[in-house]
Amino acid sequence: MRKRNESVTVEHERAAAAAAAAPAPLDKGCSLRHSLRVPAAAAADDTGMKRPLGRRSGLWFRLRKLIIWLLGMYIAIPFLVKLCPAIQAKLVFLNFVRVPYFIDLKRPQDQGLNHTCNYYLQPEEDVTIGVWHTVPAALWKNARGKDQLWFEDALGSSHPVILYLHGNAGTRGGDHRVELYKVLSSLGYHVVTFDYRGWGDSVGSPSERGMTYDALHVFDWIKARSGDNPVYIWGHSLGTGVATNLVRRLCERETPPDALILESPFTNIREEARSHPFSIYRYFPGFDWFFLDPITTSGIKFANDENVKYISCSLLILHAEDDPVVPFHLGKKLYNIAATSRSFRDYKVQFVPFHTDLGYRHKYIYRSPELPRILREFLGKSEQEHHH
């Protein structure tokens, strides 16, 4: 019996050992019923590390792609401008920027100009320009409900006329321009302004030659109706380039205006483009070749510094020290050129700076309470003469 029991015990132990050594049974899917499992804490740690690493890697990849794309665009744009000079011309004129939007230029009264009439003139075939004529505030009541013929006849009244030539971008209905018309009207001036061909609702393609010719046409139109009344020309920003082009031509044909006023002027378009604070390519290798030469190729010069050498009428320059668009030093440089020019030896040349603290920047000189006095003294007219 003992031998049999021992035999059974040995067999039992062998069976147990065999069972322990045998592989784990397979389930129906032919996979191990008991698989190795990573402890929950260890799995959590592994996932927590992988996610931030993966997220950081993805962000860096996207950021690197963006940087490469921006760098590629930065390098490509100069070549694009060089190959297509028309792009640079559009950036100079900015005539496609029509601010403020959604205004009806046929209705100046919507901008608070109740004593203003809208005209359309035709300087050349296939070119039509929109014109606003604001009468002096003293004629406001008489102007209500009147037609174009009445406004044209009013130019012959005993009030001086200012032909205003606006800068690039926007239209004759720009906010700061409208505010200046109101100031000048209150001082007793007729104000005639217009949109160059290609601006606002004026028809035609913009060019320096075309802008100058438009200004000449409007000046002649005014002179044909204003009799012996003084006619002054006021140019602002890019409009100073049109103004000096116009006045040089008028002086050459011996019909100069009574005075020229330049607000925020530059010397010439190349120096303005080189000095423009918004130019991100000023230090780009070959800046002149890439950006300035295409401007010249497009026939755009606006050479105020050359024009003033041929102008023979009184000149007033207004410039704010904090001008972020046309640097103050360019206006001062233009004044120095004009003041030493022989053409001005018999005429008054004056430079009026506006301190940085006033905050007039590029287009808010009209806010100056000193402006009426400056104009009265420079133009040699008393306040009473302006209003009567």
Side-chain angles (χ1 to χ4, degrees):
M1 289 292 293
R2 177 181 289 179
K3 286 182 179 178
R4 187 178 177 186
N5 287 339
E6 288 175 357
S7 175
V8 170
T9 302
V10 170
E11 288 177 2
H12 180 72
E13 289 174 355
R14 285 177 180 168
L26 298 175
D27 61 13
K28 290 182 181 178
C30 297
S31 59
L32 291 176
R33 190 174 292 162
H34 302 286
S35 58
L36 292 174
R37 294 183 181 274
V38 179
D45 288 346
D46 186 55
T47 304
M49 288 179 67
K50 281 182 180 177
R51 280 181 183 167
L53 284 173
R55 189 179 298 119
R56 281 198 293 269
S57 176
L59 284 172
W60 168 242
F61 178 73
R62 286 195 291 273
L63 182 60
R64 188 171 57 181
K65 277 183 68 176
L66 179 62
I67 291 171
I68 292 171
W69 183 83
L70 290 173
L71 186 61
M73 286 295 294
Y74 181 78
I75 295 171
I77 285 173
F79 290 94
L80 188 62
V81 169
K82 185 65 179 178
L83 291 171
C84 304
I87 294 174
Q88 189 71 324
K90 283 196 170 292
L91 293 176
V92 171
F93 297 137
L94 290 178
N95 59 302
F96 56 89
V97 179
R98 301 179 69 167
V99 179
Y101 298 100
F102 311 119
I103 71 167
D104 185 353
L105 292 170
K106 295 182 179 67
R107 294 178 52 81
Q109 60 268 32
D110 292 348
Q111 310 308 308
L113 296 170
N114 295 318
H115 50 317
T116 299
C117 186
N118 180 67
Y119 309 145
Y120 289 97
L121 303 179
Q122 191 169 14
E124 294 180 304
E125 190 177 355
D126 300 326
V127 175
T128 304
I129 57 174
V131 181
W132 279 0
H133 171 198
T134 302
V135 297
L139 302 179
W140 179 81
K141 289 184 179 179
N142 295 334
R144 286 186 295 181
K146 296 298 193 300
D147 59 9
Q148 178 176 335
L149 186 59
W150 183 90
F151 275 82
E152 290 187 33
D153 289 342
L155 285 169
S157 63
S158 57
H159 294 81
V161 184
I162 290 179
L163 170 57
Y164 179 79
L165 305 170
H166 69 66
N168 66 355
T171 68
R172 61 191 184 276
D175 293 341
H176 65 284
R177 295 162 187 164
V178 168
E179 293 306 314
L180 178 63
Y181 311 154
K182 291 176 181 177
V183 170
L184 297 177
S185 172
S186 70
L187 296 176
Y189 298 99
H190 288 276
V191 182
V192 178
T193 186
F194 66 96
D195 281 318
Y196 316 105
R197 61 186 71 188
W199 272 260
D201 57 354
S202 296
V203 177
S205 299
S207 67
E208 181 175 352
R209 186 207 69 83
M211 295 164 73
T212 303
Y213 192 81
D214 293 344
L216 178 62
H217 181 80
V218 176
F219 177 84
D220 287 342
W221 180 88
I222 292 169
K223 288 297 288 183
R225 292 156 177 78
S226 60
D228 295 329
N229 294 326
V231 178
Y232 310 121
I233 293 173
W234 184 313
H236 173 243
S237 193
L238 189 67
T240 64
V242 182
T244 63
N245 281 348
L246 169 62
V247 177
R248 176 177 176 175
R249 189 163 176 176
L250 292 175
C251 291
E252 287 173 346
R253 76 177 195 186
E254 299 183 352
T255 57
D258 292 275
L260 171 62
I261 301 166
L262 302 178
E263 179 188 358
S264 307
F266 49 85
T267 47
N268 58 70
I269 199 65
R270 288 179 73 99
E271 284 198 2
E272 159 58 8
R274 189 181 291 115
S275 305
H276 201 294
F278 301 154
S279 174
I280 61 173
Y281 286 98
R282 272 182 293 172
Y283 307 108
F284 192 88
F287 174 78
D288 284 21
W289 187 78
F290 278 112
F291 291 96
L292 302 186
D293 291 350
I295 296 177
T296 306
T297 301
S298 299
I300 303 171
K301 296 179 181 178
F302 292 115
N304 290 336
D305 50 355
E306 281 300 310
N307 288 337
V308 293
K309 297 174 184 177
Y310 300 91
I311 288 174
S312 50
C313 69
S314 297
L315 172 65
L316 171 64
I317 296 178
L318 311 171
H319 213 135
E321 292 178 351
D322 59 338
D323 190 329
V325 178
V326 180
F328 178 78
H329 71 87
L330 290 185
K332 187 68 175 176
K333 183 177 179 180
L334 181 64
Y335 165 73
N336 291 332
I337 294 170
T340 57
S341 173
R342 269 194 230 169
S343 65
F344 285 105
R345 64 179 177 268
D346 297 325
Y347 298 95
K348 187 189 306 183
V349 180
Q350 185 177 350
F351 182 84
V352 180
F354 294 86
H355 197 272
T356 301
D357 294 345
L358 297 170
Y360 295 153
R361 297 172 67 80
H362 183 60
K363 55 187 182 182
Y364 301 114
I365 287 176
Y366 73 84
R367 294 176 178 173
S368 172
E370 293 297 309
L371 187 60
R373 179 190 59 78
I374 292 167
L375 294 178
R376 187 167 61 246
E377 291 178 1
F378 176 77
L379 298 175
K381 296 288 183 181
S382 69
E383 204 163 19
Q384 288 77 19
E385 287 175 318
H386 283 164
H387 288 284
H388 298 288

